Amino acid sequence: MKNPLKSRVVILSLVAFTAILVLSIGPWWKDLMGSVNSQPPNVTAIYLGVSPPAGEWQFIVGDRLLSDCSVAYVYNFTPTGILTIYEIDEGTLRALGFEANTTRCTDNLEYGYVAVNISQKIDSLSIVVWISKSSSNGQDVYFVELGSWRFVNGSYIGYIAPPMDKNYMLLNLSAVRRMVNETGIHYINRR
């Protein structure tokens, strides 16, 4: 016949071992497992302008990426590392209800800079730039994609041209207004 006292000793030993193990690992549990509720990366600062940005920036691109008709921009960032910038011309800005200085433009591209800071280190970043052209009916905005500039592990990889059959889109003014409500309207630095 089994000794009931012996099985109780084994059970108590296992419980004591488990308790000691839990208590010793507890303080380092978050470090071992990682944080389950970690915040996704997001844009903490962004610059778009004709002169080089001042200060410290994680990602900087200098290229022919500004339309001489663009006066402001909105952006969208996905946690997978895609930053989409939508340059907005004067007509679209007025249709959205914002003030804009009258500009004379020729729809030419100018050399400009995009600089971005992200809240966390990310493995890759693609900066995609779209340029708007306000439509004649005032209800839609026509966008043309300039391309994307790619970074991997913080190093600039290069420019990727958009596919010719997918480098344009027509958005309703209300869709552009939703983007403005999400990230705000930002004016291009022309100094």
Side-chain angles (χ1 to χ4, degrees):
M1 196 164 155
K2 276 186 164 180
N3 185 353
L5 190 58
K6 193 174 187 180
S7 64
R8 285 185 183 161
V9 169
V10 170
I11 291 173
L12 285 174
S13 297
L14 284 173
V15 168
F17 175 75
T18 305
I20 291 170
L21 188 64
V22 167
L23 290 174
S24 65
I25 293 178
W28 299 288
W29 184 253
K30 284 186 180 178
D31 293 334
L32 293 172
M33 299 306 288
S35 178
V36 175
N37 295 327
S38 67
Q39 294 292 323
N42 59 27
V43 174
T44 58
I46 187 168
Y47 169 89
L48 181 61
V50 294
S51 58
E56 293 290 322
W57 296 91
Q58 290 170 294
F59 304 96
I60 299 176
V61 172
D63 205 341
R64 295 178 52 83
L65 50 74
L66 277 175
S67 168
D68 65 346
C69 294
S70 297
V71 293
Y73 63 96
V74 295
Y75 67 90
N76 180 29
F77 180 72
T78 64
T80 57
I82 300 172
L83 172 65
T84 307
I85 298 173
Y86 300 92
E87 294 182 20
I88 297 176
D89 65 349
E90 177 188 349
T92 303
L93 194 63
R94 288 187 191 281
L96 289 168
F98 293 93
E99 292 295 319
N101 294 331
T102 303
T103 58
R104 293 184 188 258
C105 61
T106 57
D107 258 344
N108 288 325
L109 291 178
E110 299 177 327
Y111 197 86
Y113 295 88
V114 173
V116 181
N117 282 338
I118 309 281
S119 63
Q120 299 175 22
K121 184 180 184 307
I122 57 175
D123 294 332
S124 68
L125 174 69
S126 292
I127 301 173
V128 183
V129 178
W130 293 80
I131 295 176
S132 78
K133 298 175 192 278
S134 49
S135 68
S136 57
N137 69 6
Q139 295 302 310
D140 298 310
V141 183
Y142 179 73
F143 284 94
V144 176
E145 183 181 358
L146 286 181
S148 64
W149 289 261
R150 181 123 169 116
F151 292 84
V152 174
N153 293 325
S155 298
Y156 178 66
I157 299 301
Y159 168 79
I160 301 169
M164 294 303 283
D165 61 336
K166 295 180 182 176
N167 68 340
Y168 57 88
M169 71 175 150
L170 187 64
L171 289 179
N172 188 292
L173 197 58
S174 62
V176 177
R177 191 170 279 117
R178 277 192 301 275
M179 285 192 284
V180 169
N181 290 338
E182 288 175 11
T183 62
I185 193 83
H186 307 273
Y187 289 91
I188 294 172
N189 184 351
R190 292 279 177 190
R191 297 179 189 172

